[in-house]
Amino acid sequence: MSWIVFITFAPMKQTVTSKRELEIVLLEQKREITNRSKELLCPRQEESLIDLDSPQAQVVIGVRRSGKSTLCFQTLRNAGKTFAYVNFDDERLAGVGTAQLNDVLEVLYKVYGEFSHLFLDEIQDIEGWPLFVNRLLRQKMHVILTGSNAKLLSSDLATHLTGRSSEVSLYPFSFGEYCTMKAVDTHTMTTDKIAFRRAAFDDYALRGGFPELMHVKDGRRYVTDLVDNILRRDIEQRYHITYTAEFEALAHHLLNVSPTVVVTKDLAGTFSFKSAHTVANYIQYLKQAYLLVGVKKFSAKSKVRATQEKVYAVDVALMNQCEDAYAGENLGWRLETLVLSHLIRKCKMEGWDVYYLSERYGECDFVVCCGNRVVQCIQVSYDISAYKTRKRELNGLMLAAKRTGCDDLLLLTDHHYEDMDDRGRTIKIRPVYEWTLEDE
């Protein structure tokens, strides 16, 4: 009797093992970053938050493909700094560990010559990176880092770089930045220019603000791949999630129904998780990877703020452009999400916080606070032409004013513009597209 034996070999990742191989990879990456100087890049407000002369590491964090690398590159370029660049989100560098990081530095000097700044892209996947960065900082090197997972970066920074790092959060394009890239006039008040801005806003509200979405035809496939990449690489692999199908179903559900108040017990039952604690952990992972943004309930009680959270998709593109999305256009929810996206950027710049107010007698979408002082109450409604809708939204604002003592009351809609008095208080009613451009 003869036997036939089949031997199969699992495909191996092609990772660098020598300085020569490192040099080939870093030369290719240098060509890629150099080619960006020929592209039209959008100015971002966050450029002003990156201090290139600081002795602290400058850390830019945010959702994948939001433009973190481009932001760092154009900040360095505009300041005329000499810098070296390495992108660790490259399969050929997957095996690089602590022992090889100094080899990377040596090869960078060979490729770039002398440089004053070191730009390390998607650093969080490399074991031992905080100690490496700390050594560079002690040697007076200016270091710029990017990463796509808030917790991994923050925990490592807190452990190894205490007081030696400064974080900047970056989100997809604002509407103003979207207009810049589309060459849409945001200031001229003629009929045609206003109409062009309205048309651009309608497109932005449906497609979202991810920079690359402006140049791809199949937006659905792009967003699906992006979400899958974040779920599987940034979350499942890092946190060793066992029941990946259930976790992904939960993630897609929350993106599909956002904005929504999280009730972990109900979600655990729906997706057959053993406990509400598991669901709470999974939602934290989704927020840390910047797929979801959490808004806490407005309350003087810490327990209420900590437990009754409302979650939003980080960008409207994630609400209905990925596979198995059944959300449709949901114009009201999309408008509310766009308002939050703008508020987050504005509040990051100002050092403010955003909450939502919900009580038995009504609710207000956003309460903006500077410390313990409420500076603005904002209600969002797509269309207030119906009497009941208008009354409900105004009542929510009046409730917020009564509870907080705030007199800056704003009702944002798709197209309505009005200044009115209600029970002795002035309420501004503005279209969202106009409001988002006020600070541009």
Side-chain angles (χ1 to χ4, degrees):
M1 180 181 294
S2 61
W3 296 86
I4 300 176
V5 179
F6 293 94
I7 301 176
T8 60
F9 296 91
M12 299 292 291
K13 289 183 177 179
Q14 298 299 312
T15 59
V16 296
T17 57
S18 69
K19 292 180 184 178
R20 177 56 185 160
E21 290 172 320
L22 271 174
E23 184 176 347
I24 292 171
V25 174
L26 296 179
L27 278 169
E28 289 182 5
Q29 292 187 357
K30 181 182 180 181
R31 283 195 292 270
E32 291 174 8
I33 200 75
T34 300
N35 287 336
R36 290 193 178 182
S37 63
K38 304 172 186 176
E39 300 174 2
L40 173 63
L41 301 180
C42 179
R44 310 288 299 263
Q45 286 186 338
E46 289 78 7
E47 284 185 49
S48 64
L49 300 179
I50 301 177
D51 185 357
L52 296 178
D53 297 320
S54 172
Q56 297 179 313
Q58 302 297 296
V59 185
V60 180
I61 53 178
V63 65
R64 283 186 180 272
R65 302 184 193 174
S66 57
K68 300 187 297 296
S69 304
T70 302
L71 171 69
C72 295
F73 167 71
Q74 63 191 16
T75 303
L76 287 162
R77 184 188 66 177
N78 293 343
K81 302 295 184 181
T82 56
F83 69 94
Y85 168 76
V86 54
N87 179 12
F88 289 105
D89 192 23
D90 186 318
E91 75 281 359
R92 296 168 297 178
L93 300 181
V96 171
T98 308
Q100 274 192 293
L101 284 173
N102 206 63
D103 290 343
V104 171
L105 184 61
E106 180 183 328
V107 174
L108 285 171
Y109 276 115
K110 182 179 179 182
V111 170
Y112 287 89
E114 287 289 341
F115 52 85
S116 60
H117 291 68
L118 181 55
F119 175 12
L120 305 173
D121 209 356
E122 295 295 348
I123 188 69
Q124 74 273 340
D125 289 327
I126 304 302
E127 183 181 353
W129 71 265
L131 296 175
F132 174 65
V133 170
N134 209 359
R135 174 161 61 89
L136 293 173
L137 293 175
R138 291 198 304 270
Q139 296 171 357
K140 308 303 181 184
M141 175 70 72
H142 297 288
V143 182
I144 299 93
L145 314 172
T146 75
S148 302
N149 188 292
K151 184 177 188 301
L152 286 177
L153 277 171
S154 297
S155 60
D156 285 336
L157 291 170
T159 301
H160 299 285
L161 299 177
T162 305
R164 304 198 71 185
S165 65
S166 175
E167 292 187 17
V168 176
S169 297
L170 185 69
Y171 297 88
F173 280 158
S174 66
F175 177 54
E177 292 164 344
Y178 184 87
C179 287
T180 297
M181 294 304 292
K182 289 285 189 179
V184 175
D185 187 323
T186 59
H187 296 96
T188 306
M189 298 303 293
T190 58
T191 302
D192 58 338
K193 302 302 183 185
I194 293 173
F196 295 154
R197 287 197 288 275
R198 283 302 314 272
F201 183 78
D202 289 346
D203 186 56
Y204 173 73
L206 291 175
R207 291 182 61 83
F210 284 99
E212 291 176 348
L213 268 179
M214 302 178 69
H215 309 291
V216 299
K217 292 182 179 179
D218 191 349
R220 181 181 175 87
R221 171 50 53 190
Y222 177 92
V223 173
T224 297
D225 290 344
L226 171 61
V227 172
D228 288 346
N229 196 23
I230 294 172
L231 293 178
R232 293 165 188 173
R233 291 184 57 190
D234 293 341
I235 301 178
E236 292 173 6
Q237 290 183 14
R238 291 174 181 168
Y239 298 105
H240 308 292
I241 291 177
T242 303
Y243 301 104
T244 57
E246 291 81 358
F247 166 69
E248 290 177 17
L250 170 67
H252 286 291
H253 168 74
L254 290 172
L255 290 172
N256 200 214
V257 301
S258 67
T260 185
V261 176
V262 171
V263 182
T264 54
K265 183 178 179 180
D266 291 350
L267 290 171
T270 300
F271 293 96
S272 302
F273 292 117
K274 292 182 179 180
S275 70
H277 181 69
T278 299
V279 174
N281 285 338
Y282 286 173
I283 292 173
Q284 280 299 111
Y285 300 158
L286 292 167
K287 291 193 299 179
Q288 289 157 9
Y290 290 92
L291 275 180
L292 295 178
V293 176
V295 178
K296 298 183 183 299
K297 186 174 181 179
F298 179 79
S299 174
K301 297 180 180 179
S302 178
K303 182 178 180 180
V304 174
R305 295 196 305 272
T307 57
Q308 299 184 35
E309 188 173 47
K310 196 172 185 179
V311 295
Y312 291 76
V314 73
D315 187 85
V316 292
L318 305 180
M319 296 174 68
N320 75 332
Q321 288 205 57
C322 52
E323 290 182 359
D324 199 33
Y326 195 67
E329 292 186 351
N330 282 330
L331 297 176
W333 291 356
R334 298 179 80 81
L335 203 67
E336 188 177 329
T337 301
L338 288 171
V339 169
L340 177 65
S341 297
H342 186 75
L343 276 176
I344 288 174
R345 296 185 189 92
K346 184 174 182 178
C347 289
K348 287 287 184 182
M349 301 292 288
E350 300 288 348
W352 297 345
D353 297 302
V354 183
Y355 301 90
Y356 77 95
L357 186 146
S358 180
E359 296 187 0
R360 180 179 179 182
Y361 301 105
E363 61 182 34
C364 181
D365 293 317
F366 302 112
V367 175
V368 182
C369 297
C370 178
N372 61 359
R373 179 174 61 89
V374 177
V375 296
Q376 191 173 41
C377 298
I378 300 175
Q379 195 77 304
V380 185
S381 180
Y382 184 80
D383 185 0
I384 58 170
S385 58
Y387 173 76
K388 287 185 177 180
T389 303
R390 182 184 177 98
K391 183 177 180 180
R392 182 188 67 236
E393 303 301 337
L394 293 176
N395 285 344
L397 275 176
M398 298 307 295
L399 174 65
K402 182 178 179 180
R403 293 289 185 266
T404 66
C406 178
D407 289 323
D408 190 346
L409 309 179
L410 178 64
L411 173 54
L412 294 170
T413 73
D414 178 61
H415 57 272
H416 201 87
Y417 188 108
E418 180 184 352
D419 288 324
M420 61 165 294
D421 290 326
D422 189 339
R423 285 159 275 186
R425 297 182 185 270
T426 299
I427 297 176
K428 295 179 181 178
I429 305 176
R430 298 289 185 269
V432 173
Y433 83 94
E434 181 179 289
W435 170 75
T436 58
L437 294 174
E438 288 179 355
D439 300 319
E440 298 294 331

